[in-house]
């Protein structure tokens, strides 16, 4: 699949294998073309974040479980229209659950990053960057904060591989 990975990844077979088999995307040094070695902080930092997020998620799940996943109250669906969708309580409940989803992704990727750095001794990229609360624009949200996760998930690209192979077959 030449041309679908970053150029530094395709410099050696070892880099290519590491890049495409790692659960979390590894950082590569552009000059040397080698994966960056993980430091103590590269292993412990994500592990601390993982533990912190698990504690926070425990508290938030306790709140939403008690309130039936509607911590800001429910909205009656009255009338023919869909105006209830834009009710502040409904919007706040949706935002709260979306934030919990973001925290779940951040916790799971932090745990995976710490594990990968510990086992492989390689530095990993930060996958999520508090997209919902710290984004300054739509492009910042999708391009620099949220889309890191999508890029990492799609890098293995089994669908792209299948499409490439099938297009060769059906010519």
């Amino acid at each position: 699949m030449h041309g679908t990975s970053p150029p530094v990844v395709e410099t050696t077979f070892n880099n290519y294998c590491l890049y495409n088999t790692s659960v979390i995307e590894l950082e590569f040094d552009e000059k040397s073309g080698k994966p960056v070695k993980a430091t103590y902080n590269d292993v412990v930092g994500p592990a601390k974040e993982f533990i912190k997020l698990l504690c926070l998620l425990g508290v938030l799940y306790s709140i939403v479980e008690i309130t039936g996943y509607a911590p800001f109250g429910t909205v009656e669906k009255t009338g023919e229209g869909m105006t209830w969708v834009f009710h502040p309580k409904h919007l706040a409940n949706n935002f709260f659950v979306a934030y919990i989803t973001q925290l779940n992704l951040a916790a799971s990727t932090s745990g995976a990053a710490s594990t990968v750095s510990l086992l492989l001794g390689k530095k990993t990229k930060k996958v999520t960057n508090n997209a919902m609360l710290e984004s300054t624009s739509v492009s910042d949200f999708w391009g620099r904060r949220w889309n890191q996760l999508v890029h990492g998930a799609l890098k293995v690209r089994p669908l792209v591989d299948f499409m490439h192979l099938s297009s060769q077959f059906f010519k």
Side-chain angles (χ1 to χ4, degrees):
M1 294 307 318
H2 181 70
T4 58
S5 302
V8 72
V9 171
E10 295 184 358
T11 56
T12 67
F13 182 69
N14 187 36
N15 284 357
Y16 187 80
C17 290
L18 276 173
Y19 178 80
N20 285 296
T21 59
S22 177
V23 175
I24 300 292
E25 193 169 345
L26 301 177
E27 284 194 26
F28 286 86
D29 184 1
E30 294 292 327
K31 291 181 182 176
S32 69
K34 294 181 179 179
V36 177
K37 290 186 179 183
T39 63
Y40 175 79
N41 289 334
D42 294 330
V43 176
V44 174
K48 285 181 180 178
E49 185 177 353
F50 174 70
I51 293 168
K52 179 184 81 169
L53 289 170
L54 282 184
C55 293
L56 178 59
L57 282 166
V59 171
L60 294 177
Y61 272 121
S62 296
I63 292 169
V64 296
E65 183 64 31
I66 290 170
T67 61
Y69 286 82
F72 298 99
T74 58
V75 179
E76 293 296 322
K77 300 174 189 172
T78 58
E80 297 283 326
M82 298 271 300
T83 57
W84 62 273
V85 172
F86 300 105
H87 192 281
K89 288 182 181 180
H90 185 71
L91 293 173
N93 287 332
N94 283 317
F95 181 84
F96 195 72
V97 172
Y99 185 67
I100 288 175
T101 302
Q102 174 186 290
L103 291 176
N104 275 306
L105 291 170
S108 60
T109 56
S110 293
S114 181
T115 304
V116 167
S117 293
L118 179 66
L119 295 177
L120 296 178
K122 309 296 181 199
K123 185 175 182 177
T124 60
K125 290 186 177 180
K126 187 166 176 75
V127 177
T128 57
N129 198 2
N130 200 3
M132 290 184 67
L133 298 181
E134 293 183 10
S135 294
T136 56
S137 66
V138 174
S139 63
D140 183 39
F141 177 87
W142 287 113
R144 290 179 286 282
R145 296 185 180 274
W146 188 261
N147 233 11
Q148 297 300 318
L149 176 68
V150 174
H151 173 71
L154 295 178
K155 75 173 184 180
V156 179
R157 67 192 170 277
L159 182 59
V160 173
D161 291 343
F162 174 75
M163 289 172 58
H164 177 72
L165 290 172
S166 63
S167 69
Q168 298 297 320
F169 180 74
F170 290 112
K171 277 188 175 181

